[in-house]
Amino acid sequence: MPDRGGGPTGPRRIRVGRPSRRARTLLMTLGVLAVLGMAFTMFAGFWTDWLWYRSVHYSSVFTTMLWTKIGLFFVFGLLMAGAVGFNIWLAHRLRPPLSAMSMEQQSLDRYRLGIAPYKTWLLLGVTALVGLIAGASAAGQWRTWLMWVNGVPFHQKDPQFHLDVSFYAFDLPWYRFLLGFGFATVILSLIAAALTHYLYGGLRVTSPGARATAAATGHLSVLLGVFVALKAVAYWLDRYGLAVKSSDFKATDNWTGLRYVDAHAYLPAKTILFCIAVICALLFFATLWRRTWQLPVIGFGLMVLSAILIGGLYPAIVQKFQVQPNEQAKEAPYVQKNLTATREAYGIDDAQVTDYEGKSNTEDKTRLRNDAAATASIRIMDPNIVSPTFQQLQQMRNYYGFPTNLDVDRYATKDGKEQDTVVGLRELNLAGIPKNNWINDHFRYTHGYGVVAAKGTEADSEGRPVFTEYDLPSRGDLGTYEQRVYYGEKTSTYSIVGGPQKEIDYSDDSGEKTTSYRAKSGVNLANPLNRAAYAVAFNEPQILYSGAIGEGSRILYNRTPKERVEAVAPWLTIDGDAYPAVVNHRIQWIVDAYTTSNGYPYASRTTLGDTTADSLTATNNSRAVVAQQNQVNYIRNSVKATVDAYTGDVKLYQWDTKDPVLKTWMKAFPDTVQPKTDISNELMAHLRYPQDLFKVQRELLTRYHVTDAQTFLTGSEVWQVPDDPTNKSGNAVPPYYLSMKMPGQSSQAFSLSTTFTPNGRDNLSAFMSIDAEAGSPEYGKIRILKLPTSTTVNGPKQVQSQFNSEQDIASVISLLSRGHSDVEYGNLLAVPLDGGLLYVEPVYVRGGGLKYPLLRKVLVSYGNSYAFEDTLDQALNKVFGAQASTPTPPDTGTGKPPAAGNATVQKALGDAQKAFDAGQDALKKGDWQAYGQAQKDLQDALQRAAEAQSEGDKAGKPASGG
């Protein structure tokens, strides 16, 4: 008999002991700590968001979004969980009392017995899982819900169904969500019920006898009936969906709206399919009494066959045999609807298109020269080129920096006249601080300092900007203002300010100045809970225990203007170019924001990221529009926002008072947008038409400048935005801000302009300008000068090519490029002038010992004449062959014009002109000896002129006591 005790002759049993009580306690403690850690991490994210919204006084935005998401989560999560759970319970309740004794059922018995003790928990687990998924999905529809529940009418009706546009923009998206949720609920319920019926014998696959019990048949047929009923609703909504359906058509992608085949084939097909689906659903419901699948299966098959034949084959036949043989006649009425809707949706319906000859017939050269001076304040300081020059001359300290692309604004000169001004902020650049560590990066170096501004239309004798605001602290024409920049485009990290650690304010000859932040921006870190939350949220433990944080410490983050506006108004699309302005003695970032929709019937769609891309966004992604991939077919610049560079305060102002989308969001988020009347005159002076909206509109106008359907269908009038000829990016030329006078205007206006070329060609087809000055009564007016197709006028690429191929110009460019120098072309500006087009392009040289570009030459073209001179005035004089009859007197520093009647001065100035011309000739020939002599003669002549001027001033001075 074997040894039962496991003695030496038997197998040895190894007994695994239970963990000790101490080990179990440790494991339990670690588990509890892990759960608490995860919970606090989630809490930290929520708590820091709440604190931030409260700090910027937009807590209502946070709570509205939060409660909306929570409400949608629980309502739809419970609906999904309840529907699936109820159908599982009902299928279990309807199970047959005894299962057929078959191999299939014997196999299932093991599973039934296995889950029997856990049926309740399993039911709760399944329903909770599907409820969580459904609730999370529904919470993501908070925008759709808020727009539906707060929607206001457009007071415009679509041309097909005569419903208000608000139905398509606000109602239809919500109905589609409900429909999609209904389908998901029925499908999951159907799957859950079928599995339960199969598990408990209500459905049989291989067992002999009936495949389904009468109870299972009735249950599943009702669910199928609900599914088919929902399909009937889908067919009905699809009828309206045709008005906002995208398709490619002719010369335009993303065409939206009904075409001939939609109106005459798809629309009746959807109506017929709706009726068939309703009948089919009733047949499924009838199985509750007839207990047979025969009729509903026949009905479902008929519905599928009808969908193929009526919904697919019939429209194809109509397109092939009715539309294609006479497409223009058939499609013209629908194209006309698309033209009208698209022009309205993008705000281009009032664009004024006028014919423009493209060449001047004026023989009076002096008049042309005078008109050139009066038509535009031509900007030769390119804000996209001179940032390194600002950096080199006005950076002052390595820890300051300027954006890659500066901005153009308008500021008043000392005599009260407005002038185009290139503006940049001296922002914080952490890469330039002497030593990077946590204290320096987040406590000591916290802000930039001051505005730097320069005249847009002038350069000094060395080709440098003529600064109107300069030095550190900044001084100049802008007067007194708060210069510290805590919020800016380059400020992407957090700072902790206002506590025991002093900040570096700025440095001057006496050394570093320190400061401490005194505004109430940011979140107070004196509270230990707040410190712990931010330590977790920012993954920075030192926030929790650092001695540099104490009473009064505040953390600043989300510091770029676009980030702040997007956070407080998540329903807005943000323009890519925020720009600074000095308003009421403070630096304010001005941010343009848009309301958009993709549900405007018949209006073609566009992708914002593609439409607003140009040569600047290609090299500087920070200028890209926020929400780049949004497809829209309605857009309005409905909000102007400001962000205070010191306090970070965000203010939203209603700009488009008629926009129904903005009115809808103002109902959803009351008291977040201030009325337009609250915009001060000082702020209004710096508001402008936004670039991204202009780029969207100009892209649409390449096709939709046409108002006649027949012309649109031929595609003969399609334009394109030319590529930027001044660089090799291969992207569209950016639009330019410029004070100019369009034909028909009485005076110059701050404008945004661009050019068009024919599709696939380089000659000019049109010039577009929009009044960009917010205070102007014609703000937003689009003017298009359409050139004749019978003559050829050079476009930007051809003008640039001509510049480069002119032998005299090319030789000078070659000379300027020598000695490790680089030639950089500035913005190629086009200005309509007396029937022709004046092109002006500044040319910069960066090289030798210089690390920044200086203006060296100005290229000018008018008609077939070209000039390449040191200054704009010289180039204009040469290209027109005449001098302005009323030239602007040079600034002598005394406020008085030079003595024009002094013969000595006149002779000296004449000698100076001769010497200058001789120098230019020598430069073209490469005769450096002659060039040097000419420069010497020029200096001598200018010296004689200055001395003669001085003598004239003394002679004209009144006697003492006189």
Side-chain angles (χ1 to χ4, degrees):
M1 189 172 181
D3 185 0
R4 301 286 184 183
T9 60
R12 174 174 292 180
R13 295 181 180 177
I14 301 175
R15 300 184 64 184
V16 180
R18 296 176 62 191
S20 66
R21 182 175 181 181
R22 189 173 183 178
R24 293 199 304 273
T25 303
L26 178 61
L27 290 173
M28 186 177 296
T29 302
L30 290 175
V32 171
L33 289 175
V35 171
L36 289 176
M38 293 174 61
F40 188 78
T41 299
M42 291 186 290
F43 168 78
F46 162 80
W47 185 243
T48 53
D49 284 348
W50 161 248
L51 291 174
W52 186 87
Y53 275 97
R54 192 175 65 176
S55 74
V56 293
H57 311 295
Y58 282 89
S59 54
S60 63
V61 173
F62 179 81
T63 54
T64 298
M65 290 192 299
L66 178 65
W67 289 116
T68 302
K69 291 177 181 178
I70 290 174
L72 292 172
F73 177 86
F74 279 103
V75 168
F76 287 94
L78 289 174
L79 284 174
M80 177 67 79
V84 173
F86 172 76
N87 280 282
I88 292 175
W89 172 84
L90 184 60
H92 180 264
R93 181 74 179 269
L94 296 176
R95 69 190 184 279
L98 294 174
S99 300
M101 295 306 297
S102 64
M103 293 298 296
E104 180 184 22
Q105 293 304 314
Q106 289 177 14
S107 299
L108 291 173
D109 276 340
R110 289 180 295 170
Y111 295 104
R112 287 193 286 265
L113 291 173
I115 66 172
Y118 311 106
K119 284 192 296 186
T120 302
W121 290 107
L122 186 61
L123 176 64
L124 291 175
V126 170
T127 55
L129 178 63
V130 296
L132 286 171
I133 295 173
S137 175
Q141 297 294 321
W142 64 271
R143 289 181 176 86
T144 308
W145 161 260
L146 287 176
M147 293 184 79
W148 178 68
V149 78
N150 295 288
V152 301
F154 277 66
H155 299 298
Q156 289 176 287
K157 297 184 183 296
D158 79 281
Q160 179 66 41
F161 301 102
H162 307 292
L163 297 174
D164 192 272
V165 172
S166 61
F167 171 80
Y168 302 93
F170 306 141
D171 299 344
L172 190 58
W174 179 249
Y175 297 154
R176 282 176 165 168
F177 164 72
L178 292 179
L179 186 63
F181 178 82
F183 274 123
T185 303
V186 172
I187 290 172
L188 289 175
S189 298
L190 188 61
I191 293 172
L195 288 175
T196 305
H197 280 299
Y198 175 69
L199 181 64
Y200 287 96
L203 292 178
R204 306 181 187 98
V205 178
T206 61
S207 299
R211 298 298 182 197
T213 62
T217 299
H219 184 193
L220 296 180
S221 62
V222 168
L223 288 175
L224 287 171
V226 173
F227 177 86
V228 176
L230 289 175
K231 189 62 180 173
V233 176
Y235 282 133
W236 189 255
L237 286 182
D238 283 347
R239 299 169 68 255
Y240 303 110
L242 292 172
V244 289
K245 180 195 68 164
S246 286
S247 61
D248 293 343
F249 178 63
K250 287 296 182 183
T252 178
D253 298 331
N254 293 316
W255 164 285
T256 304
L258 284 80
R259 291 156 54 188
Y260 182 89
V261 69
D262 297 312
H264 293 83
Y266 282 112
L267 188 58
K270 296 294 183 183
T271 305
I272 294 171
L273 289 172
F274 163 77
C275 297
I276 293 174
V278 169
I279 295 171
C280 186
L282 294 175
L283 291 176
F284 273 107
F285 294 142
T287 56
L288 285 172
W289 297 276
R290 303 196 67 231
R291 304 295 184 181
T292 176
W293 290 86
Q294 187 176 6
L295 283 178
V297 168
I298 293 173
F300 188 77
L302 177 62
M303 188 180 75
V304 173
L305 182 63
S306 300
I308 296 172
L309 296 178
I310 302 174
L313 184 60
Y314 174 62
I317 293 172
V318 171
Q319 178 69 25
K320 179 71 174 177
F321 295 102
Q322 289 191 36
V323 178
Q324 288 185 5
N326 192 16
E327 187 171 31
Q328 286 197 225
K330 296 289 187 182
E331 299 288 14
Y334 304 96
V335 171
Q336 194 65 53
K337 295 175 184 178
N338 176 265
L339 285 170
T340 302
T342 301
R343 289 168 61 86
E344 289 174 350
Y346 290 94
I348 58 177
D349 49 324
D350 291 330
Q352 181 185 78
V353 182
T354 57
D355 292 331
Y356 191 69
E357 191 171 355
K359 62 180 181 178
S360 174
N361 295 317
T362 302
E363 299 294 336
D364 188 344
K365 301 297 184 183
T366 302
R367 178 192 160 192
L368 279 174
R369 176 65 182 88
N370 290 335
D371 287 348
T375 298
S377 298
I378 297 174
R379 180 171 40 76
I380 56 176
M381 281 292 113
D382 186 347
N384 308 309
I385 295 289
V386 299
S387 178
T389 309
F390 273 51
Q391 186 86 359
Q392 184 69 25
L393 301 179
Q394 288 294 319
Q395 179 187 22
M396 304 304 183
R397 295 291 182 269
N398 287 337
Y399 47 82
Y400 294 130
F402 293 92
T404 304
N405 306 104
L406 303 178
D407 291 289
V408 178
D409 203 348
R410 297 141 295 153
Y411 285 92
T413 60
K414 293 178 180 178
D415 60 2
K417 295 181 179 179
E418 284 195 343
Q419 69 175 4
D420 293 358
T421 305
V422 178
V423 179
L425 292 194
R426 195 182 284 112
E427 294 190 50
L428 179 67
N429 175 28
L430 286 177
I433 68 176
K435 184 178 181 180
N436 287 100
N437 55 53
W438 191 62
I439 294 295
N440 278 347
D441 291 353
H442 300 289
F443 290 82
R444 286 181 57 77
Y445 295 91
T446 59
H447 59 278
Y449 209 99
V451 176
V452 177
K455 295 180 180 180
T457 56
E458 295 182 31
D460 68 11
S461 59
E462 298 296 325
R464 296 172 298 193
V466 178
F467 292 106
T468 58
E469 188 76 11
Y470 49 89
D471 287 351
L472 182 66
S474 294
R475 59 189 178 89
D477 294 350
L478 300 185
T480 304
Y481 59 95
E482 174 55 68
Q483 298 196 18
R484 296 173 182 88
V485 181
Y486 281 87
Y487 295 88
E489 290 181 304
K490 297 174 71 70
T491 316
S492 56
T493 188
Y494 70 89
S495 288
I496 299 175
V497 298
Q501 178 66 59
K502 291 291 185 181
E503 310 161 43
I504 292 176
D505 202 19
Y506 65 90
S507 301
D508 58 16
D509 294 337
S510 61
E512 287 184 346
K513 308 292 183 183
T514 60
T515 188
S516 188
Y517 190 64
R518 290 289 175 259
K520 297 301 182 183
S521 181
V523 178
N524 191 350
L525 289 181
N527 184 329
L529 176 62
N530 293 356
R531 292 178 68 169
Y534 279 101
V536 172
F538 286 9
N539 194 27
E540 183 50 73
Q542 293 185 78
I543 294 177
L544 187 60
Y545 55 78
S546 174
I549 302 175
E551 190 65 32
S553 291
R554 311 183 74 84
I555 185 167
L556 313 180
Y557 62 105
N558 286 351
R559 296 169 70 184
T560 67
K562 290 193 288 187
E563 277 182 327
R564 295 180 79 76
V565 175
E566 186 184 23
V568 304
W571 37 273
L572 290 174
T573 299
I574 311 302
D575 189 271
D577 185 26
Y579 61 97
V582 177
V583 180
N584 293 324
H585 309 292
R586 306 193 69 84
I587 301 173
Q588 299 282 352
W589 287 98
I590 299 174
V591 183
D592 285 287
Y594 310 109
T595 48
T596 60
S597 174
N598 69 350
Y600 198 100
Y602 276 95
S604 292
R605 291 189 174 94
T606 186
T607 303
L608 291 181
D610 297 338
T611 309
T612 58
D614 59 25
S615 62
L616 296 184
T617 60
T619 57
N620 184 8
N621 192 54
S622 65
R623 292 179 69 93
V625 64
V626 175
Q628 296 181 55
Q629 298 310 311
N630 277 10
Q631 267 215 337
V632 305
N633 67 354
Y634 173 91
I635 186 169
R636 290 290 185 273
N637 176 211
S638 53
V639 171
K640 301 283 188 181
T642 62
V643 178
D644 192 291
Y646 182 71
T647 65
D649 286 345
V650 182
K651 292 183 179 178
L652 308 176
Y653 296 99
Q654 182 182 17
W655 184 247
D656 190 331
T657 57
K658 298 179 180 179
D659 177 28
V661 181
L662 176 60
K663 290 179 181 178
T664 296
W665 286 119
M666 289 175 68
K667 280 182 63 180
F669 296 95
D671 303 322
T672 57
V673 180
Q674 300 181 27
K676 188 175 184 178
T677 52
D678 285 1
I679 299 176
S680 66
N681 292 332
E682 291 81 0
L683 176 58
M684 184 71 76
H686 294 281
L687 299 181
R688 68 189 191 188
Y689 202 85
Q691 290 192 58
D692 283 338
L693 177 58
F694 181 84
K695 287 188 280 188
V696 170
Q697 290 175 324
R698 75 171 178 179
E699 180 63 32
L700 268 296
L701 282 166
T702 59
R703 303 180 301 277
Y704 287 93
H705 63 279
V706 173
T707 57
D708 174 64
Q710 296 293 342
T711 306
F712 186 88
L713 282 166
T714 63
S716 60
E717 290 289 328
V718 175
W719 299 338
Q720 65 183 12
V721 179
D723 291 340
D724 191 343
T726 64
N727 59 56
K728 299 179 180 179
S729 68
N731 293 89
V733 61
Y736 296 116
Y737 288 106
L738 189 68
S739 290
M740 60 179 295
K741 180 173 64 175
M742 286 284 283
Q745 288 185 294
S746 58
S747 61
Q748 291 184 18
F750 192 62
S751 305
L752 196 53
S753 60
T754 192
T755 53
F756 295 110
T757 58
N759 194 27
R761 296 172 59 193
D762 294 325
N763 57 288
L764 199 68
S765 58
F767 178 88
M768 171 182 169
S769 177
I770 195 165
D771 194 326
E773 195 162 352
S776 167
E778 294 191 320
Y779 171 82
K781 184 176 180 61
I782 299 174
R783 295 179 174 88
I784 298 176
L785 304 179
K786 184 174 179 292
L787 280 77
T789 56
S790 57
T791 59
T792 301
V793 178
N794 285 343
K797 186 176 181 180
Q798 292 173 321
V799 170
Q800 186 69 47
S801 178
Q802 188 68 31
F803 279 153
N804 296 337
S805 61
E806 282 284 328
Q807 185 174 356
D808 292 344
I809 297 175
S811 62
V812 178
I813 293 291
S814 179
L815 289 172
L816 293 174
S817 302
R818 292 179 181 176
H820 305 289
S821 297
D822 293 323
V823 173
E824 297 183 27
Y825 294 100
N827 35 219
L828 180 58
L829 302 174
V831 177
L833 177 65
D834 287 290
L837 265 295
L838 175 69
Y839 287 97
V840 179
E841 181 178 63
V843 178
Y844 300 83
V845 176
R846 185 204 305 243
L850 298 175
K851 299 180 180 179
Y852 56 95
L854 295 176
L855 180 68
R856 290 304 190 200
K857 292 286 183 180
V858 179
L859 288 161
V860 173
S861 167
Y862 188 73
N864 295 319
S865 299
Y866 292 85
F868 186 52
E869 303 298 328
D870 289 348
T871 68
L872 176 61
D873 280 341
Q874 292 169 2
L876 290 173
N877 290 343
K878 184 173 180 179
V879 85
F880 292 114
Q883 293 188 356
S885 60
T886 55
T888 303
D891 187 0
T892 63
T894 64
K896 298 181 292 183
N902 190 317
T904 305
V905 174
Q906 295 300 310
K907 184 177 185 308
L909 291 176
D911 292 341
Q913 183 64 47
K914 291 177 182 178
F916 175 79
D917 293 338
Q920 294 302 299
D921 292 337
L923 187 62
K924 293 175 182 178
K925 298 175 182 176
D927 188 344
W928 295 106
Q929 183 176 356
Y931 181 76
Q933 182 61 44
Q935 294 301 304
K936 183 179 179 181
D937 294 342
L938 176 61
Q939 292 177 2
D940 291 343
L942 292 174
Q943 181 65 29
R944 285 188 281 115
E947 292 172 354
Q949 175 67 48
S950 178
E951 291 298 325
D953 289 343
K954 291 177 181 178
K957 186 182 294 184
S960 178

